[in-house]
Amino acid sequence: MLDPAALLARAWAATGLSDWGDDSFEERFALAVAHINSIPMDDAGRQAAAENIHWLLTDRLKFFEDRKRYPLADEAIERPMFATGEPRSGTTLMHALMSVDPDARALRFWEVMHPSPPPGTVAGVDPRMAQADAEWREINAKMWKWLHCHPYNDMLGNGLPEDERTWAFDFRVMTPTAWWRVPMQNLSLGLPTDSAAQNRLHKMMLQALQYRRPRKYWVCKGFHGFRLKEFFETYPDATLVWLHRDPVQVAASSTMMMSDIMEGIVGKIDLVKEARMHVERVRASIANTMANPLVGDPRIHHVRYRDFVADPVGTIRGYYRFAGRDLGPGAEAAMRRYLAENKGDRHGKFAYSSQVLVDAGYDLDALNQEFRPFRERFGVEMEKR
């Protein structure tokens, strides 16, 4: 069994640092270790988990030390732009297109996987880029099916993480891009969350990555629907583009995507169990979307997945207009070039259908009826797959 006190002491010894930046961190970390200890693993798996934890702990210590060495808290994050929506609803493509805007800055995997020191303090080519590239080659070899549904992973260390990835060393989430070496399927359930603290940490990350670099506006992507209040408290001048897609297809596509990811980590996946988990997640998310009064906040621009697929650049132009920014000719040309050079099936066709939900015991007509109020509110049509 992993010993949380020993793991913390090892990180202190390795770095000579001891400030976790959060008074509750050690208690929360112990809960995360207990969660890992509850998962059946052999000795090699537990050793991999220990090394993974050491990486995250030492990164955290150095990250908070950076905030003492540099005036990172003075960095203003002005009018950031965020894409959100259900998984498999086009948010990654929208984020990828906004990221090629020459006036925009997006998070990159090499930055969030190894966030210290601030990149603006490093002269010349940052060695973390090559390090993250090598790690992503390992990820892509281990989870090769992931490229079918998420071809953006071929960007390696320069790829675009979701906002949730900034919380990996906070031990509130366990994402596959932080835990791919550890043979466990249950990557997130049971960990304590704190939306306000998580958003503050996200802002700290943006401040560190912006420090001493050319000023650009941030374009990010995350699943912020459950934490809108805390999101806007952290970024009061932010705007959010929210893509909406047929929830039945979201559940079906998410089921197959996550089974492809997790198969590379732990082996064969129980599709019935996976489908039921995703249907319940979608149900909870749609219920929140329908009930949360902040969904109607004037800082949120709602878009239909169908419209985005039909005209990606035109949809983004509409969002820029909503956010009070111009989509210049250089940005539009870069976006159209990205679309031409990065076809969605470049690593193979991602196949899924709603049959996976039928096989799990769901009645599609009943699901469609259940989600009818959502579709009517946002003009989302049923998809047939």
Side-chain angles (χ1 to χ4, degrees), residues 32-344:
V33 173
H35 170 74
I36 295 167
N37 280 333
S38 71
I39 299 170
M41 280 190 277
D42 59 17
D43 289 344
R46 296 211 176 276
Q47 181 61 36
E51 292 305 316
N52 206 84
I53 288 170
H54 185 67
W55 159 37
L56 296 174
L57 288 177
T58 53
D59 269 4
R60 182 182 181 92
L61 286 168
K62 290 184 285 186
F63 178 82
F64 281 101
E65 181 67 17
D66 288 340
R67 294 187 70 80
K68 298 175 183 177
R69 295 184 61 196
Y70 306 104
L72 304 182
D74 295 337
E75 289 293 311
I77 309 300
E78 298 175 342
R79 297 169 59 209
M81 302 171 72
F82 289 79
T84 196
E86 296 294 324
R88 315 304 297 160
S89 63
T91 54
T92 302
L93 178 58
M94 177 168 280
H95 186 209
L97 292 173
M98 291 194 297
S99 77
V100 300
D101 177 349
D103 295 321
R105 168 169 286 119
L107 290 169
R108 302 292 174 175
F109 269 112
W110 70 268
E111 298 169 333
V112 301
M113 292 171 85
H114 307 287
S116 177
T121 67
V122 177
V125 176
D126 197 310
R128 289 171 291 184
M129 295 180 180
Q131 180 182 359
D133 281 351
E135 289 166 337
W136 264 99
R137 291 187 183 96
E138 181 183 343
I139 292 171
N140 286 339
K142 192 174 185 68
M143 295 180 276
W144 60 271
K145 288 185 178 180
W146 197 2
L147 282 165
H148 292 172
C149 64
H150 203 81
Y152 315 91
N153 290 350
D154 62 9
M155 297 170 72
L156 303 178
N158 203 44
L160 301 164
E162 293 157 352
D163 295 328
E164 289 77 6
R165 182 59 181 79
T166 65
W167 305 326
F169 65 20
D170 206 32
F171 291 88
R172 298 187 191 274
V173 296
M174 293 183 180
T175 68
T177 60
W179 292 86
W180 79 93
R181 294 183 175 121
V182 184
M184 60 183 185
Q185 182 178 357
N186 191 355
L187 292 169
S188 61
L189 299 179
L191 298 182
T193 60
D194 181 334
S195 295
Q198 288 168 246
N199 277 289
R200 287 195 298 270
L201 185 60
H202 181 270
K203 184 176 181 179
M204 291 180 192
M205 188 75 73
L206 299 192
Q207 289 173 321
L209 300 178
Q210 178 176 282
Y211 181 65
R212 289 187 185 174
R213 299 172 92 182
R215 188 55 56 94
K216 299 184 178 186
Y217 49 82
W218 282 97
V219 292
C220 299
K221 172 212 168 183
F223 302 107
H224 296 290
F226 279 103
R227 46 183 179 264
L228 289 174
K229 177 178 178 293
E230 296 83 3
F231 172 82
F232 282 123
E233 286 174 350
T234 304
Y235 299 112
D237 62 348
T239 55
L240 195 64
V241 58
W242 194 322
L243 286 92
H244 297 286
R245 187 183 183 189
D246 179 355
V248 172
Q249 299 307 320
V250 166
S253 183
S254 296
T255 296
M256 297 310 301
M257 176 189 70
M258 286 309 300
S259 66
D260 284 352
I261 293 171
M262 298 313 303
E263 182 179 316
I265 297 177
V266 298
K268 191 67 175 175
I269 300 301
D270 182 341
L271 282 180
V272 169
K273 183 179 179 181
E274 193 74 22
R276 289 175 179 169
M277 182 180 69
H278 285 283
V279 169
E280 292 308 313
R281 183 199 60 75
V282 170
R283 278 177 166 156
S285 184
I286 295 300
N288 172 72
T289 300
M290 294 298 288
N292 192 331
L294 281 174
V295 171
D297 189 281
R299 291 166 288 188
I300 300 176
H301 182 55
H302 294 280
V303 170
R304 296 185 299 182
Y305 169 78
R306 181 187 68 178
D307 295 337
F308 176 60
V309 170
D311 185 3
V313 177
T315 302
I316 292 175
R317 185 184 302 110
Y319 173 43
Y320 270 56
R321 189 180 306 116
F322 172 86
R325 287 198 167 97
D326 293 326
L327 184 65
E332 179 169 343
M335 292 178 188
R336 295 194 183 282
R337 185 164 57 251
Y338 181 94
L339 288 169
E341 296 175 354
N342 296 275
K343 299 300 183 183

